Amino acid sequence: MIKIYNTLTREKEQFIPIKEGQVGMYVCGPTVYNYIHIGNARSTIAFDTIRRYFEYRGYQVNYVSNFTDVDDKIIRAANELGVTAPEVADRFIQAFEEDTKALNVEPATAHPRVMDHMTDIISFIQVLIEKGYGYEANGDVYYRTRKFKSYGQLSDQSIDELEVGASQRTGEEQNQKEDPLDFALWKKAKVGEISWDSPWGKGRPGWHIECSVMATKHLGETIDIHGGGQDLEFPHHENEIAQSEAKTGKKFANYWMHNGYVTIGEEDQKMSKSLGNFITVHEMIQTVDPQVLRFFMATTQYRRPIRYSETTMKEAATNLQRLKNTFENLKFRLDIAEEDLDTDATFLAELDQMKQRFIEEMDDDFNAANGITVVYELAKWLNTYLENTTVSRTVLTKGEELFTQWLSIFGILFTADELLDEDIEQLIEERTQARKNRDFVRSDEIRDLLKEKGILLDDTPQGTRWRREA
């Protein structure tokens, strides 16, 4: 029984899907005006891990994550680069796809783009105006926030608290609003900006309306899960609820999920472009194994903050290497294992117990930190079992199945081809022959050469095994 911490109710709740065996998830995607930084990647990786766990538990997941390709920042980047806004969006959507592929993020079921939904957005706004929730003012269209009675429920803020902050804003836009709390549904076009025709004149949509339209269009008027970064709770997700429920009269999302920040530095600052303290994934994976970054991000419970530092990255690299070593040992012994042994039932029962513990931990709001602890326990168990003189193919096959399935939930994939390099195997074969010929000088040369490359050899009665240095 999967339990989810619902930001809306601030409680863990049993997950009950709208349609049995199916999950509809909408996760707010990037605004595509630059490369994503590792703070952005946190959300992508967290919800990809959650999606993978749902699939492991037998659910069919309809996973929708948008691209915001109409935005002030995109327009600004287009002007700076001397290209069009669509060209900026296309460039950084491609970069996003390349970077997330390197992090082994599964493509979404659908990646809707704002520019492809302009007719839907205009129709949505018209309904809000007809119902009295929207109003036009000099080519702009605003949402009557105070008319939506439960506004502030998601972010746990009262209208009075919000009004104090909104009343301090000034400018032409604020002057034409009926209420300082009202927010934009449609923005009148400025000179030189990309725009679309509408009943209120040329313009473009507000940020919040875009996700309301794309979520309901692709997943229905009520969706199972809406997710995104913690910084989107207010105002973005709060406004999505107000817009969507005002239009449909139905609950927008049954479960709201928000991932924690990535922090950096001794003061644990939130990583963000506005603070200038970010590291892009594009830059980072030029020098760091993308699997290490994925492992670092995926193995923290999604609601917890992640502190990024060289130390924490090195710890992740070391832990991942240890798991690789277990995988190597497992594959090596699997090839020479016995078909069945009398002790199989005992060992298989122990593996089943670990499986149940893994599911219990991950069912508890996708607690990746506890889940990976069970993976470490499995690795330790496998290493101990592999020390036996004879091992069972049945037990090792079951162990390998659990090991690879669980790691794949965290986005980690080991393959024999990746680990058993042909050149290394040839050198090991040459060394074996040298030892048979009592050419110990050449044998030692090969061992030293491999050691320099970070490859350690273990001579066993069953043959020579190799592993990468942690």
Side-chain angles (χ1 to χ4, degrees):
M1 180 180 69
I2 294 176
K3 288 189 175 182
I4 295 175
Y5 180 85
N6 190 346
T7 311
L8 186 66
T9 60
R10 287 166 284 284
E11 292 181 353
K12 285 184 186 178
E13 301 174 2
Q14 180 183 347
F15 175 68
I16 302 173
I18 296 168
K19 294 182 180 178
E20 187 176 354
Q22 299 181 36
V23 181
M25 289 180 69
Y26 184 89
V27 177
C28 288
T31 300
V32 283
Y33 69 99
N34 203 338
Y35 296 106
I36 60 168
H37 59 66
I38 61 174
N40 304 138
R42 169 82 199 279
S43 182
T44 304
I45 289 172
F47 285 101
D48 180 65
T49 303
I50 289 166
R51 171 196 186 171
R52 287 169 179 266
Y53 185 69
F54 270 124
E55 290 172 341
Y56 172 76
R57 295 288 272 125
Y59 287 92
Q60 179 183 342
V61 182
N62 187 0
Y63 185 90
V64 179
S65 185
N66 71 296
F67 290 123
T68 298
D69 58 356
V70 181
D71 182 87
D72 290 337
K73 294 173 183 176
I74 295 172
I75 293 170
R76 194 178 305 122
N79 292 334
E80 291 172 357
L81 296 171
V83 298
T84 66
E87 286 173 325
V88 170
D90 289 343
R91 173 180 172 182
F92 289 110
I93 285 173
Q94 181 179 347
F96 174 87
E97 291 171 345
E98 291 171 355
D99 290 344
T100 54
K101 182 178 180 181
L103 297 172
N104 197 23
V105 173
E106 292 182 358
T109 312
H111 272 301
R113 296 176 58 162
V114 177
M115 290 189 190
D116 297 332
H117 293 75
M118 211 55 64
T119 301
D120 300 308
I121 290 170
I122 291 169
S123 298
F124 198 114
I125 294 172
Q126 286 178 307
V127 173
L128 290 176
I129 292 174
E130 290 166 5
K131 291 191 169 188
Y133 285 93
Y135 62 93
E136 188 266 342
N138 193 29
D140 292 315
V141 181
Y142 297 101
Y143 183 92
R144 289 189 174 97
T145 302
R146 208 176 290 272
K147 184 176 175 64
F148 188 73
K149 300 305 180 185
S150 59
Y151 192 82
Q153 183 180 1
L154 179 69
S155 53
D156 195 23
Q157 301 181 76
S158 69
I159 284 286
D160 292 337
E161 289 172 331
L162 295 169
E163 186 176 19
V164 170
S167 298
Q168 295 172 354
R169 300 176 197 150
T170 60
E172 182 181 345
E173 183 185 16
Q174 287 298 102
N175 292 334
Q176 65 185 17
K177 292 180 181 180
E178 294 178 354
D179 189 300
L181 285 174
D182 296 347
F183 58 88
L185 298 172
W186 185 262
K187 297 180 178 182
K188 181 180 178 180
K190 296 176 183 176
V191 176
E193 282 188 349
I194 187 171
S195 63
W196 287 262
D197 290 326
S198 80
W200 321 286
K202 284 188 173 293
R204 57 189 173 88
W207 174 33
H208 315 300
I209 195 69
E210 298 166 352
C211 283
S212 284
V213 171
M214 290 184 285
T216 53
K217 181 177 177 65
H218 290 272
L219 292 170
E221 293 180 336
T222 302
I223 64 178
D224 288 308
I225 297 170
H226 195 313
Q230 181 182 335
D231 55 330
L232 298 181
E233 281 183 39
F234 184 87
H236 186 52
H237 289 165
E238 194 77 67
N239 291 351
E240 278 191 67
I241 292 172
Q243 295 162 156
S244 304
E245 296 188 2
K247 177 181 180 288
T248 67
K250 300 176 183 177
K251 189 174 185 179
F252 179 36
N254 287 332
Y255 304 89
W256 285 88
M257 301 177 69
H258 294 92
N259 63 273
Y261 296 128
V262 174
T263 63
I264 190 168
E266 294 182 2
E267 297 179 0
D268 282 340
Q269 280 188 320
K270 172 199 167 188
M271 186 176 289
S272 70
K273 291 187 175 76
S274 61
L275 295 174
N277 62 354
F278 65 93
I279 303 166
T280 69
V281 174
H282 188 76
E283 293 170 328
M284 190 169 184
I285 61 178
Q286 307 302 316
T287 56
V288 174
D289 182 352
Q291 278 215 120
V292 172
L293 179 57
R294 169 78 197 221
F295 186 73
F296 170 68
M297 293 278 189
T299 52
T300 298
Q301 206 272 351
Y302 75 95
R303 287 190 290 118
R304 304 288 177 241
I306 293 180
R307 186 176 186 182
Y308 172 83
S309 68
E310 287 189 14
T311 300
T312 53
M313 284 295 291
K314 285 179 181 177
E315 288 174 357
T318 298
N319 290 333
L320 184 59
Q321 187 60 58
R322 287 171 178 161
L323 294 174
K324 284 184 179 180
N325 293 342
T326 299
F327 179 79
E328 288 181 343
N329 294 339
L330 177 61
K331 295 297 287 186
F332 182 87
R333 293 299 299 277
L334 193 55
D335 291 337
I336 55 174
E338 301 289 334
E339 282 303 322
D340 292 293
L341 295 173
D342 293 339
T343 54
D344 283 1
T346 300
F347 290 124
L348 289 172
E350 291 177 6
L351 289 172
D352 281 337
Q353 288 175 358
M354 269 186 275
K355 179 179 179 180
Q356 290 307 310
R357 195 157 68 254
F358 178 81
I359 290 172
E360 286 172 9
E361 299 294 358
M362 291 296 289
D363 273 2
D364 183 14
D365 197 30
F366 312 97
N367 197 327
N370 289 353
I372 200 65
T373 297
V374 181
V375 177
Y376 292 143
E377 290 175 11
L378 174 60
K380 182 179 180 181
W381 186 95
L382 288 168
N383 287 329
T384 301
Y385 181 75
L386 289 167
E387 290 174 358
N388 294 318
T389 305
T390 57
V391 291
S392 162
R393 184 179 301 277
T394 301
V395 173
L396 288 187
T397 299
K398 180 65 175 178
E400 180 192 28
E401 177 186 311
L402 295 179
F403 196 57
T404 54
Q405 281 182 345
W406 296 352
L407 284 172
S408 72
I409 292 168
F410 300 106
I412 302 302
L413 176 66
F414 298 147
T415 64
D417 290 338
E418 174 194 350
L419 299 170
L420 300 177
D421 187 271
E422 290 181 359
D423 294 336
I424 297 173
E425 293 291 349
Q426 287 178 359
L427 285 169
I428 291 174
E429 185 175 342
E430 183 182 345
R431 177 175 174 270
T432 301
Q433 191 60 46
R435 294 177 74 195
K436 286 181 180 178
N437 297 336
R438 303 185 67 78
D439 185 357
F440 299 115
V441 173
R442 180 57 181 157
S443 172
D444 290 343
E445 283 177 352
I446 293 172
R447 175 183 282 274
D448 292 341
L449 173 64
L450 290 172
K451 187 175 182 181
E452 287 176 6
K453 301 290 186 181
I455 306 301
L456 303 181
L457 303 183
D458 294 316
D459 294 319
T460 74
Q462 293 81 24
T464 300
R465 293 178 293 176
W466 65 272
R467 57 188 171 85
R468 300 189 189 278
E469 191 172 16

